Amino acid sequence: MASTPELPELFEGLTTSQASPAVSSVPDTMSRLPVEISSDIFLRSAPNAQASSVLVRVSRAWNRIALGTPSLWTTLSNDGIPAAKFPVLLKAWFARGQGLPVSLSQGPMLPSAFLQTVEVLANNSQLVQTLNIYLHDGALDKISCISFGALRHLTIDASEDERVGTSADLIALVRGAPNLVECNLNEVFYTHQNHSLDGLGSFTHSSLKHLRFGKSQDGFKRITASPAILSCLKLPSLQTLRVFFTRNQRYTENDLVKFLTQSPAPLRALHIGFSHRVRWRAAVLESLQLVSTTLTELEILHPRNLATTLFDALDVNADLLPRLQSLHVRGYLDGDNLPEPQRISNVLKARRGSVKSFRICAVDEEVEFFGGVAAVLRPFADAGVDVYVGTLFQNFV
């Protein structure tokens, strides 16, 4: 086994758990158990890196059992660990895991420690299965040049006011992870300056099933990540897509339609949001037509001037989204742009065999007009459908 730093030294000062002086005088029952049982006990009792480190400090027998249990060293987070120690600790973790896939969560840290962490990742990239990483300004290019052959789950976070890199960097990262199944880009902003998306071409990623740009916060606010790179991707296996369009980012209403056209995937969940300046009625309806036969979950966020169009289309055409199980509409709704109660009822009746959850939720608290909607939909709730009509704090049903 490759030589690695002693874990007790790495965790010095990180935990208050210390072996009692009397421990050595107590019969060590653990060491008398079959290795398979003692290893399983260790796995069940060590939920994090600090706990794993405690096990190697109790006695020589425990140290031997812990270091002989590779599964004990396959999950690591830098939460609560001094930044300067984390790269060394990560190197030790890869060695202790003895070639098993590793799940890593790396939050904000000093640039110098981040660069050292990236170096360790590069040397062990084929062992990284899950990577949750926080990037600082311009740091995307540091990991985009690494080939993560075993990576299946990727989540990137960043500060709201920083640009982590370019669209070319992001495309390179996805291209270098051919087995990626899930990609979450939370609050990730990247530029297109000097990197024309048209010049990047397009490529097919066959394994990516879940792609999410941005994340929900406080029920309504959506932290955005630019979905402009969709024009460069063909994702034939995609099942979940979450995007949020604002007026100031580089795309047009046709980009979503173009992506869904060139990626005829079995899309099942579509979460789509808009800033109040973006009103893509025709593009949204055309997009829904493209995924009509497979979509089971639809969420529309901030649908000002879109909600009525959506329900009109679903009411007129009962063959649109026939397998829909979940329909959620959230955002700025009032008496002027709320669909007619009878329209909503007609949409649910036409899909009575499939719809299990319906929610229409308004940001504004003055929603007396929801009373009429709630009255019409109450029979659906009585029949077992999860119905929510109101605000974030009150359900009128």
Side-chain angles (χ1 to χ4, degrees), residues 323-391:
R323 301 175 58 189
L324 197 62
Q325 297 180 9
S326 173
L327 175 58
H328 294 181
V329 179
R330 300 187 299 158
Y332 298 100
L333 298 167
D334 54 36
D336 295 329
N337 59 34
L338 185 72
E340 296 178 2
Q342 192 56 48
R343 286 280 194 191
I344 299 176
S345 177
N346 292 343
V347 168
L348 297 185
K349 283 181 180 178
R351 297 158 183 81
R352 185 184 295 272
S354 62
V355 172
K356 299 177 181 178
S357 177
F358 174 78
R359 295 186 171 225
I360 186 164
C361 198
V363 172
D364 303 314
E365 294 187 9
E366 297 180 4
V367 286
E368 292 81 2
F369 53 86
F370 269 165
V373 179
V376 171
L377 297 187
R378 197 164 285 115
F380 293 95
D382 294 337
V385 178
D386 174 25
V387 178
Y388 191 106
V389 176
T391 69

Side-chain angles (χ1 to χ4, degrees), residues 94-129:
F94 280 118
R96 306 300 188 207
Q98 299 181 26
L100 291 181
V102 172
S103 296
L104 170 66
S105 180
Q106 177 256 297
M109 61 170 50
L110 297 174
S112 57
F114 174 78
L115 292 177
Q116 295 175 39
T117 299
V118 170
E119 182 179 354
V120 177
L121 282 176
N123 293 332
N124 299 275
S125 60
Q126 299 307 308
L127 299 178
V128 181
Q129 185 176 72

Side-chain angles (χ1 to χ4, degrees), residues 102-105 128-133 148 150-156 177 179-184 207-210 212:
V102 172
S103 296
L104 170 66
S105 180
V128 181
Q129 185 176 72
T130 299
L131 178 60
N132 301 330
I133 191 167
F148 291 98
L151 188 63
R152 294 178 60 83
H153 305 278
L154 172 66
T155 298
I156 299 179
N179 293 301
L180 192 63
V181 174
E182 178 182 5
C183 181
N184 304 305
S207 66
L208 191 57
K209 294 182 179 180
H210 309 285
R212 303 179 181 94

Side-chain angles (χ1 to χ4, degrees), residues 11 46-54 72-73 75-77 81 89 93:
F11 276 95
N48 52 46
Q50 286 89 337
S52 297
S53 72
V54 170
L72 199 61
W73 314 98
T75 302
L76 181 63
S77 169
I81 298 175
L89 184 63
W93 238 249

Side-chain angles (χ1 to χ4, degrees), residues 202-278:
S202 64
F203 77 97
T204 300
H205 197 295
S206 300
S207 66
L208 191 57
K209 294 182 179 180
H210 309 285
L211 177 60
R212 303 179 181 94
F213 296 88
K215 63 180 179 181
S216 298
Q217 178 174 305
D218 301 330
F220 293 104
K221 182 181 178 182
R222 181 67 58 110
I223 299 176
T224 62
S226 172
I229 64 166
L230 285 177
S231 61
C232 301
L233 299 174
K234 294 180 181 179
L235 306 175
S237 300
L238 193 66
Q239 297 179 11
T240 303
L241 176 63
R242 181 171 67 199
V243 290
F244 188 93
F245 295 99
T246 67
R247 189 176 182 180
N248 298 326
Q249 295 173 340
R250 176 185 169 171
Y251 38 68
T252 68
E253 62 183 284
N254 294 322
D255 285 343
L256 179 61
V257 175
K258 178 183 177 182
F259 168 73
L260 294 175
T261 301
Q262 70 184 15
S263 295
L267 195 68
R268 296 172 185 168
L270 176 61
H271 300 246
I272 184 169
F274 306 91
S275 72
H276 68 280
R277 298 191 184 110
V278 177

